[in-house]
Amino acid sequence: MAVLTQQKPTTVIEKLSDEIWRKKFLRNVIIPWVFIAPLLIIHIFVVAIPAVQGVYMSMTDWGGINPNVNFIGLDNYHELLFEDKSFGKSLNNNIVWMLFFLTVPFILALFCASMLAQIKRGGMLYRSILFIPYVLASVVTTTIWKNLLNPKDGIVAASARALGIEGFEVAFLGRTDTALMSIAFIDNWHFWGFLMILFLAAMQAIPPVLYDAAKIDGANRWQEFRHVTLPGIRPIVLFMFMMVAIWSFLAFDYIWLITQGGPGGASEVIATQLYKNAFQRFEAGYAAAQGVVISIFAGFIIMIFVMLRRRGWDI
Amino acid sequence: MTAIGKVSLRDTVFQRGRSKERSKLLVFNHTVLLLLTAFAVIPLAVLLFNSLKTELDIGQNPLGPPRTIVIENFREAWEEGDFAITMRNSVIYVVATITAELVLGGLAAYALARKRPPGSDLLMLYFLVASTIPVWMYIVPLFVQMRMMKMLGTFHGLIIIYIAGNAPLTIFLLRSYMIDLPSELEDAARVDGANEFQVLTRIVLPLTKPGFLTVGLVVGLGVWNEYTLALTFIHDPNRFPVTTSFAKFVDRFDTNWALTSAGAIIILFPVMVLFLALQRQFIEGLAEGGIKT
């Protein structure tokens, strides 16, 4: 623009082309950026600026309210990784959570989707019903299952009693050895239908010719699944592996709504600990460090994924 | 689906010998699917049953259908749970977020898909990276910032957080719908003297309606169901959305299953009505949204 204003157009043609150039600049640069600006500014305000601040905050001993702030370098991280035993326990719970979610919903969804892909009539109905739990709010899902897992007359206890099986009148959510897995089970009840829909869509995109060819070769159903279906849906399965691994480190609402990390820290994960540190114990700096650590885990998982792709994996 | 249907049709014609085996296998399929369907539906059926029972009936018959139907639970839950207020609040959060998201996201996606100003690629990269930043990375500083700007605990404060959180998804989805449009239509409109805004509202918008519907549904469902951010940023019961208010309600009436079940039904009712009416858009939208973020 600076260059433009210095030029003094002398002829009519130059004046005209200058006019056209301005109009083009307005239409192709200014207006598009005016269109983009509002959402971008909101996003920078809510995500980018606080994310950068978070890194700085994680290197301070700030409590969150009083103006007393000291820069303490990496002390929070040192405490987190080497001194805070409860953090190690939470991290361990996150990893258990991840192992659960990288297996149970995937097996369930793959199995169900391959059953559903062969159905001609009523497939849409199954698909819709199996998807219903996914649209429920976490507060609703947890309320349902808190009732169903009630040791006195919840669904598990009552049906076990009806069948004459003993040992199921257990407070699954109140015991240190079952709390975390029970919450994972509940979250999975809500989640797995979503995976199933993704896998089903991918299976239906596989050209039927491949199945014909497999049949001509005399493949049985397992071989068909192993050599036609699985390679066909591999990209989405691997992608969801990455996403689920990341989400496992962010897990919060189901745990918070059911046990708040209890009993006795049995279902504590990094996010519930972070929440308590930030908003109940007023250790903002320490909580920010935990947030950064969660992000590093997420970034690490993405890096592995990108590296595998660079290595020529067909992801 | 139809493609696979064709294969098995051909099977029955050309391989009569194997058709019996086929149908047997489908019986197996239906058995498995019915079991899984039961797994999805029974908890919901129990919830509905319990919402219609008396406390006494639940105690004696926790899982079966109600002996006498009691509607009273819903009135009591509605009043005790302040649903008149929190439903209104949730509608405000949902409608405001969807509206702002579609208007601002539509403008941005249009610019990125159709105009590609210098810096577009960098901006897409920014949103791609931003979409992988976990909320836990910035929730504490964001809280402080909101407090400093006196936006903590306000409707607009939470709404702009929702708008920002859904921004990458909105831009990716709407952009992918808009990028496929042929540019001849826009050029024709421009030749007729339409300005940029008219091109967007008269030509591009009508042609990408399904994209806007999808984004609206995904964002709306997400905000209606959202718990964590509402818990963090809204502390005044008069501004609670249904989720955080209901969580407190459940804590208060912990053992009163009839009441908490009725409350849960009240929250999921609008979602279920919309879901049943727009199943295809819901399922495909959420599937697409899940992959795009």
Side-chain angles (χ1 to χ4, degrees):
Chain A
M1 282 303 265
V3 180
L4 199 77
T5 45
Q6 277 164 12
Q7 283 176 347
K8 293 226 166 78
T10 44
T11 67
V12 179
I13 292 186
E14 268 178 43
K15 219 174 199 166
L16 202 64
S17 75
D18 190 44
E19 183 82 346
I20 289 171
W21 196 85
R22 265 168 205 269
K23 264 199 168 162
K24 266 198 159 172
F25 187 74
L26 185 72
R27 197 203 288 159
N28 293 332
V29 180
I30 302 288
I31 291 180
W33 276 101
V34 169
F35 282 8
I36 294 167
L39 195 60
L40 180 62
I41 290 169
I42 290 177
H43 195 272
I44 289 175
F45 174 75
V46 173
V47 178
I49 293 175
V52 174
Q53 279 179 326
V55 177
Y56 172 74
M57 200 183 276
S58 74
M59 297 186 214
T60 69
D61 63 354
W62 195 39
I65 296 173
N66 61 358
N68 195 2
V69 189
N70 296 309
F71 186 81
I72 54 169
L74 297 176
D75 283 6
N76 281 332
Y77 294 94
H78 186 267
E79 189 182 337
L80 209 54
L81 298 173
F82 300 109
E83 287 160 31
D84 188 347
K85 285 214 176 90
S86 66
F87 180 76
K89 204 174 164 196
S90 301
L91 180 59
N92 192 45
N93 282 342
N94 275 110
I95 290 170
V96 170
W97 187 272
M98 181 173 80
L99 292 177
F100 178 93
F101 276 91
L102 286 180
T103 51
V104 178
F106 277 84
I107 293 169
L108 210 52
L110 275 175
F111 184 60
C112 181
S114 56
M115 291 290 118
L116 197 45
Q118 296 161 331
I119 300 265
K120 281 165 281 178
R121 256 184 227 170
M124 287 297 279
L125 189 63
Y126 282 125
R127 195 175 83 143
S128 295
I129 295 175
L130 292 169
F131 195 68
I132 287 175
Y134 187 70
V135 300
L136 301 183
S138 51
V139 283
V140 170
T141 310
T142 52
T143 304
I144 295 174
W145 281 96
K146 271 197 260 182
N147 284 354
L148 292 179
L149 291 179
N150 182 296
K152 200 170 127 263
D153 36 26
I155 198 165
V156 177
S159 18
R161 201 187 309 133
L163 293 168
I165 307 168
E166 279 180 32
F168 273 94
E169 298 188 341
V170 169
F172 291 99
L173 299 167
R175 287 177 49 146
T176 49
D177 55 343
T178 51
L180 186 69
M181 278 298 103
S182 303
I183 302 169
F185 170 86
I186 294 168
D187 193 345
N188 179 52
W189 177 79
H190 146 92
F191 174 70
W192 79 273
F194 171 65
L195 269 192
M196 194 275 291
I197 293 291
L198 295 182
F199 296 165
L200 179 64
M203 283 179 192
Q204 286 167 346
I206 297 172
V209 191
L210 295 178
Y211 286 99
D212 289 348
K215 270 190 207 88
I216 289 166
D217 290 344
N220 63 27
R221 268 183 122 190
W222 167 249
Q223 287 167 326
E224 226 179 76
F225 178 77
R226 172 75 190 72
H227 296 289
V228 181
T229 310
L230 216 47
I233 62 169
R234 204 173 98 140
I236 183 73
V237 174
L238 290 175
F239 180 75
M240 289 318 290
F241 247 78
M242 174 183 84
M243 295 310 293
V244 169
I246 294 174
W247 290 337
S248 298
F249 285 101
L250 316 183
F252 176 78
D253 52 352
Y254 276 79
I255 297 167
W256 191 258
L257 281 162
I258 296 173
T259 61
Q260 303 211 341
S267 59
E268 197 84 75
V269 290
I270 306 176
T272 56
Q273 228 182 16
L274 185 158
Y275 191 87
K276 288 175 186 169
N277 283 334
F279 303 113
Q280 293 177 352
R281 295 191 197 119
F282 301 105
E283 294 191 42
Y286 198 57
Q290 286 182 304
V292 172
V293 168
I294 291 181
S295 309
I296 291 173
F297 284 128
F300 189 66
I301 294 164
I302 295 172
M303 238 174 58
I304 294 175
F305 192 74
V306 170
M307 261 166 52
L308 289 178
R309 191 182 251 182
R310 284 249 173 93
R311 286 248 177 113
W313 274 44
D314 175 29
I315 299 177
Chain B
M1 199 97 103
T2 47
I4 289 166
K6 267 181 214 147
V7 177
S8 19
L9 187 71
R10 225 176 296 153
D11 277 353
T12 51
V13 177
F14 292 112
Q15 305 181 325
R16 291 231 169 122
R18 290 190 66 186
S19 71
K20 228 180 194 174
E21 189 193 341
R22 266 282 151 195
S23 63
K24 218 187 265 169
L25 288 173
L26 284 180
V27 169
F28 175 68
N29 288 25
H30 282 287
T31 314
V32 168
L33 289 167
L34 282 173
L35 282 174
L36 289 169
T37 306
F39 178 54
V41 168
I42 286 175
L44 288 167
V46 173
L47 181 77
L48 183 63
F49 290 162
N50 283 349
S51 74
L52 296 168
K53 289 178 193 169
T54 58
E55 272 288 283
L56 183 72
D57 197 0
I58 291 180
Q60 291 165 347
N61 158 38
L63 303 175
R67 286 178 212 156
T68 46
I69 289 179
V70 192
I71 309 277
E72 186 62 12
N73 291 332
F74 286 95
R75 200 191 55 78
E76 207 186 328
W78 182 272
E79 281 169 9
E80 290 287 339
D82 289 330
F83 275 104
I85 297 169
T86 63
M87 279 284 209
R88 184 208 61 185
N89 295 346
S90 274
V91 168
I92 293 174
Y93 291 119
V94 168
V95 171
T97 308
I98 291 180
T99 311
E101 196 76 61
L102 291 185
V103 172
L104 304 182
L107 285 170
Y110 171 70
L112 284 166
R114 313 303 297 175
K115 311 301 295 183
R116 302 190 141 273
S120 305
D121 292 342
L122 206 65
L123 189 70
M124 288 306 285
L125 184 70
Y126 167 80
F127 278 116
L128 189 70
V129 172
S131 69
T132 65
I133 299 177
V135 68
W136 301 113
M137 171 96 180
Y138 57 84
I139 196 164
V140 185
L142 180 60
F143 184 88
V144 175
Q145 184 177 303
M146 287 300 206
R147 192 174 56 200
M148 251 165 49
M149 304 193 70
K150 305 257 179 273
M151 284 164 85
L152 192 62
T154 62
F155 280 101
H156 59 279
L158 185 58
I159 289 164
I160 68 157
I161 296 174
Y162 287 149
I163 296 170
N166 286 302
L169 164 84
T170 305
I171 286 190
F172 295 149
L173 273 178
L174 289 183
R175 181 176 168 272
S176 74
Y177 273 90
M178 289 178 177
I179 222 160
D180 298 331
L181 291 182
S183 63
E184 284 81 4
L185 289 169
E186 290 164 59
D187 295 339
R190 281 199 195 95
V191 170
D192 289 347
N195 64 32
E196 280 315 307
F197 193 69
Q198 286 169 324
V199 171
L200 173 59
T201 51
R202 303 270 171 81
I203 309 290
V204 177
L205 263 185
L207 291 170
T208 48
K209 255 190 203 151
F212 281 86
L213 178 63
T214 303
V215 172
L217 282 177
V218 173
V219 170
L221 180 72
V223 173
W224 182 266
N225 287 348
E226 208 283 327
Y227 174 74
T228 307
L229 292 166
L231 173 76
T232 309
F233 289 95
I234 303 291
H235 306 110
D236 174 4
N238 284 319
R239 290 176 187 163
F240 276 161
V242 283
T243 49
T244 52
S245 158
F246 182 63
K248 284 210 156 52
F249 177 78
V250 172
D251 283 342
R252 196 151 59 95
F253 294 96
D254 195 11
T255 51
N256 192 336
W257 294 10
L259 218 52
T260 54
S261 300
I265 297 276
I266 293 174
I267 295 179
L268 68 79
F269 183 73
V271 173
M272 286 310 292
V273 170
L274 257 184
F275 177 72
L276 293 177
L278 299 166
Q279 286 167 46
R280 178 179 282 272
Q281 286 89 338
F282 251 102
I283 296 176
E284 280 162 16
L286 286 166
E288 248 178 293
I291 301 172
K292 287 264 157 60
T293 41

